[in-house]
Amino acid sequence: VVGIMDMKKFITFEGGECSGKTTVITELCKRLQEMNIEFISTREPGGIRIAEDIRKIILDINNTAMTRECEALLYAASRMQHLSERVIPAINNGTVVICDRFLDSSLAYQGYARGIGIEEVYDMNMFATSGMLPDLTLYILVSPSVGLSRKTHQKELDRLELQANNFHETVYQGYLKIAKMFPDRVVLIDGE
């Protein structure tokens, strides 16, 4: 962990629903704290007030009429605000940033699974983020059937979690495609 932190300041975690991102991030943060490494942990969409407000709109089960383009643009807008208000200032101060989801989620969910196109969503986000990418992305690989089976004992489902199983399978395939596109920064981890 120390070797990675010396080189990487912006580390993101990706994966489908209930892949274990939150559990792994919580454990990593404990270890970083024990090692006195300065870090913040945040999430997308969210992490700051404006982005949390956008998150509520995106995930609200009553917003089923939301177009795929609107959804993608809301994620990009949330991401831009989150970067400028929280992530970039932390990195500029030498703080390691651990983020639950980032650009690759938009590429997998909106670009691939919603059918907008990975390149189109990538370009949209490159504008929103001024080209900023994570230094390292850890993708926790869990099949949709395993991930969704973990949901039965958890909170009320949100708009994305309520999607049909074939949607989540398409997201999974999208993540695999994205990992191949960015092998220099994406590391696959078996989460099953």
Side-chain angles (χ1 to χ4, degrees):
V1 173
V2 174
I4 290 174
M5 296 307 147
D6 287 342
M7 300 167 44
K8 312 293 185 191
K9 292 297 182 190
F10 185 28
I11 301 168
T12 60
F13 284 80
E14 296 286 352
E17 304 306 322
C18 284
S19 59
K21 295 182 315 299
T22 303
T23 302
V24 172
I25 289 169
T26 300
E27 185 61 32
L28 175 60
C29 290
K30 286 179 191 174
R31 301 247 176 120
L32 293 176
Q33 192 168 18
E34 289 169 2
M35 297 179 340
N36 294 317
I37 294 174
E38 190 174 340
F39 73 94
I40 63 165
S41 178
T42 189
R43 71 177 185 175
E44 285 204 354
I48 57 165
R49 188 191 58 79
I50 292 171
E52 290 291 339
D53 289 347
I54 294 171
R55 178 187 184 91
K56 289 175 192 167
I57 293 167
I58 293 170
L59 300 180
D60 188 330
I61 60 171
N62 296 310
N63 290 338
T64 56
M66 183 183 301
T67 68
R68 62 189 187 164
E69 295 84 2
C70 178
E71 182 182 79
L73 288 165
L74 285 171
Y75 277 111
S78 171
R79 184 164 294 124
M80 186 209 52
Q81 190 68 33
H82 181 233
L83 277 177
S84 65
E85 199 172 319
R86 183 143 197 230
V87 175
I88 292 171
I91 291 170
N92 288 343
N93 285 332
T95 302
V96 172
V97 176
I98 307 296
C99 192
D100 185 341
R101 297 199 185 275
F102 191 66
L103 168 66
D104 297 314
S105 287
S106 289
L107 299 179
Y109 281 80
Q110 288 73 48
Y112 195 77
R114 294 273 194 233
I116 294 174
I118 291 175
E119 284 185 35
E120 289 77 3
V121 172
Y122 182 82
D123 290 344
M124 175 192 316
N125 278 275
M126 287 301 94
F127 169 76
T129 66
S130 298
M132 185 169 185
L133 291 171
D135 296 314
L136 174 67
T137 299
L138 301 170
Y139 170 39
I140 302 174
L141 195 62
V142 172
S143 68
S145 60
V146 170
L148 293 172
S149 72
R150 295 173 179 173
K151 271 289 182 207
T152 58
H153 64 278
Q154 292 193 355
K155 64 174 179 54
E156 187 176 316
L157 301 180
D158 64 40
R159 190 175 67 83
L160 290 177
E161 294 164 339
L162 289 171
Q163 296 291 303
N165 286 349
N166 64 338
F167 174 78
H168 294 287
E169 181 60 39
T170 306
V171 168
Y172 179 80
Q173 295 304 320
Y175 269 125
L176 293 176
K177 183 174 181 141
I178 292 156
K180 289 178 184 173
M181 292 171 64
F182 301 102
D184 55 324
R185 96 175 145 76
V186 177
V187 176
L188 299 177
I189 299 171
D190 184 351
E192 291 188 16

